[in-house]
Amino acid sequence: MSGCRVFVGRLSPHARERDVEKFFKGYGHIREINLKNGFGFVKQVSFKKLLKISQQVQVCKIFQVNQ
């Protein structure tokens, strides 16, 4: 099973892998988290769960990004 990857943008420079994991684990099994400077990717098994995330929240608000 390859999983599905979602882009997470406009992250705080203080956001850590454990912060992203804490948020996304409520939506299913996380296969991989790859953070860069201000953005990242989260790979999960279920496309349906990733779609649910995109319909319910704006991830950038979780990490208190200045807009």
Side-chain angles (χ1 to χ4, degrees):
M1 190 179 314
S2 63
C4 299
R5 189 176 352 183
V6 64
F7 172 79
V8 182
R10 299 184 67 188
L11 292 174
S12 163
H14 304 291
R16 301 288 179 246
E17 188 172 314
R18 67 178 178 264
D19 301 321
V20 176
E21 180 179 12
K22 184 177 178 181
F23 175 77
F24 279 92
K25 75 178 181 181
Y27 291 94
H29 177 72
I30 298 169
R31 294 183 57 125
E32 180 182 342
I33 297 172
N34 186 359
L35 297 182
K36 304 293 183 188
N37 188 16
F39 70 96
F41 296 92
V42 176
K43 190 172 187 180
Q44 287 190 283
V45 174
S46 172
F47 175 77
K48 287 182 180 182
K49 290 185 181 189
L50 289 178
L51 184 59
K52 184 176 178 180
I53 293 168
S54 68
Q55 292 172 342
Q56 291 183 350
V57 298
Q58 290 183 349
V59 176
C60 64
K61 290 184 179 181
I62 299 301
F63 301 104
Q64 302 174 353
V65 175
N66 294 329
Q67 295 187 8

